[in-house]
C-alpha cells in the first residue's frame, strides 16, 4: 500500500512540474513578445512614426480626409469593392485554400511564430462598398490574449512598415496598449479584449463620417435634454 501511495505522490509531483513548466513557457513567450514590441515602437525614429502628426487622433483625422486610395488590403481586398465582388473573391480564395470554412465561420490560417491561429474573417459594408475587413482571434488555442496581440504585432510590424504604414500605440480603457498602422485612408488596428483580439482594416474616411454623424446626433440629444429642463 505504501508503494502505491509513493507512486501516486510522485505522479502528482510530476504533473505539477509539467504544469509549472508550461506556465513558465507561456510567461517567457509573453515577456519576449512584449519586449520585442516595445523595442520596435521605442527604437523607431520619431520622424518615421509621427511624420507630419504627433498623435493617433491627428493621424486618423489626416487619413479620414484623404482620397479613397483603394490600397490592397489583406489577401488583395480593397475599399473599392462592392459586396458581390467581395463574395466572389472570398469564394476564389476558398477554392485555392487561402480561406476555409469551419463551424459556419469563414477563417484564415494566420501562421506566425510561434503559433498558427485561425481567426474568423468578417466584412463590413457602407452603401454596399467594403469599408472594413476584420480578423477576430477567438483564443480557441487557449493562449493568453496579450500573447496573441503582441505576437501578431511583432510579426506584422516590419512588412507593414516596408509598405509605408506609420505606427502608433495608444492605451485602451483598460490601460493596455493597442497598436495602429496608418497609410493613406487605411487604418489597421489591433485591439485586445477580455477573451479575444481584433485586427481590423478600416476605411478612415468612412470611420470619420460615422464619428461626425454620432457626434452631431449626441449634440442634438444634449440640446434637446437641456431644452426640456
Amino acid at each position: 500500500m505504501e508503494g502505491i501511495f509513493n507512486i501516486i505522490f510522485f505522479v502528482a509531483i510530476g504533473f505539477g512540474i509539467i504544469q509549472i513548466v508550461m506556465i513558465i513557457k507561456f510567461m517567457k513567450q509573453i515577456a519576449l513578445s512584449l519586449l520585442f514590441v516595445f523595442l520596435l515602437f521605442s527604437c523607431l525614429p520619431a520622424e518615421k512614426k509621427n511624420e507630419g502628426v504627433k498623435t493617433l487622433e491627428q493621424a486618423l483625422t489626416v487619413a479620414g480626409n484623404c482620397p479613397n486610395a483603394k490600397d490592397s488590403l489583406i489577401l488583395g481586398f480593397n475599399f473599392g469593392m462592392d459586396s458581390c465582388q467581395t463574395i466572389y473573391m472570398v469564394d476564389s480564395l476558398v477554392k485555392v485554400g487561402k480561406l476555409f470554412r469551419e463551424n459556419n465561420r469563414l477563417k484564415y490560417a494566420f501562421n506566425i511564430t510561434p503559433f498558427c491561429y485561425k481567426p474568423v474573417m468578417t466584412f463590413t459594408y457602407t452603401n454596399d462598398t467594403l469599408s472594413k475587413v476584420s480578423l477576430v482571434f477567438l483564443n480557441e488555442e487557449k493562449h493568453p490574449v496579450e500573447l496573441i496581440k503582441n505576437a501578431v504585432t511583432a510579426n506584422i510590424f516590419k512588412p507593414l512598415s516596408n509598405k509605408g504604414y506609420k505606427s502608433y500605440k495608444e492605451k485602451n480603457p483598460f490601460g493596455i496598449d493597442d497598436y495602429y498602422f496608418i497609410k493613406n485612408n487605411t487604418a489597421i488596428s489591433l485591439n485586445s479584449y477580455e477573451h479575444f483580439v481584433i485586427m481590423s482594416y478600416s476605411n478612415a474616411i468612412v470611420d470619420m463620417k460615422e464619428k461626425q454623424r454620432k457626434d452631431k446626433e449626441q449634440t442634438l440629444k444634449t440640446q434637446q435634454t437641456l431644452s426640456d429642463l
Side-chain angles (χ1 to χ4, degrees):
M1 184 64 72
E2 182 179 353
I4 295 175
F5 279 119
N6 286 336
I7 293 173
I8 294 174
F9 175 75
F10 284 113
V11 168
I13 290 177
F15 181 76
I17 292 173
I18 292 173
Q19 292 292 98
I20 292 172
V21 169
M22 290 178 67
I23 292 172
I24 292 174
K25 183 179 179 181
F26 271 124
M27 293 301 292
K28 284 183 177 179
Q29 290 167 345
I30 293 174
L32 288 173
S33 295
L34 282 170
L35 177 61
F36 188 49
V37 171
F38 172 78
L39 290 174
L40 284 173
F41 277 82
S42 61
C43 294
L44 194 66
E47 64 269 20
K48 187 172 183 180
K49 286 194 295 183
N50 305 311
E51 187 175 359
V53 295
K54 294 182 179 180
T55 66
L56 173 63
E57 183 177 1
Q58 291 173 340
L60 290 173
T61 299
V62 171
N65 285 288
C66 284
N68 189 6
K70 300 180 183 179
D71 291 327
S72 179
L73 311 174
I74 185 171
L75 295 174
F77 293 99
N78 69 71
F79 292 139
M81 301 172 69
D82 60 28
S83 57
C84 290
Q85 292 172 317
T86 303
I87 292 171
Y88 177 81
M89 189 165 182
V90 166
D91 290 339
S92 299
L93 290 168
V94 169
K95 287 180 182 178
V96 298
K98 283 286 187 177
L99 297 174
F100 62 97
R101 291 186 171 88
E102 184 178 270
N103 298 325
N104 295 319
R105 290 170 170 170
L106 182 68
K107 292 190 174 185
Y108 171 62
F110 202 101
N111 295 298
I112 56 173
T113 305
F115 304 111
C116 174
Y117 299 106
K118 297 188 293 182
V120 175
M121 180 171 276
T122 65
F123 303 92
T124 302
Y125 303 92
T126 302
N127 298 325
D128 198 42
T129 302
L130 187 64
S131 58
K132 180 180 289 187
V133 180
S134 297
L135 296 175
V136 184
F137 297 80
L138 297 173
N139 196 15
E140 296 170 321
E141 295 82 7
K142 306 302 180 185
H143 298 147
V145 168
E146 279 303 292
L147 172 62
I148 297 174
K149 184 179 70 175
N150 289 314
V152 172
T153 304
N155 280 271
I156 69 174
F157 187 94
K158 185 175 181 180
L160 289 181
S161 295
N162 290 340
K163 290 181 179 181
Y165 282 87
K166 307 304 178 186
S167 57
Y168 301 85
K169 67 177 178 180
E170 185 172 86
K171 290 191 180 298
N172 60 29
F174 304 102
I176 300 172
D177 287 332
D178 285 335
Y179 303 104
Y180 299 83
F181 301 85
I182 299 174
K183 175 186 175 184
N184 297 326
N185 62 299
T186 301
I188 303 174
S189 60
L190 276 124
N191 305 110
S192 59
Y193 301 87
E194 185 176 359
H195 299 296
F196 55 89
V197 174
I198 298 181
M199 178 181 177
S200 292
Y201 293 73
S202 297
N203 187 335
I205 301 170
V206 175
D207 289 346
M208 173 172 282
K209 289 180 179 178
E210 179 63 15
K211 182 179 183 301
Q212 290 172 343
R213 184 192 67 79
K214 288 182 177 180
D215 288 346
K216 183 178 179 180
E217 187 178 272
Q218 184 58 49
T219 299
L220 292 173
K221 287 181 178 179
T222 300
Q223 291 174 346
Q224 181 63 52
T225 297
L226 293 175
S227 68
D228 291 339
L229 298 177

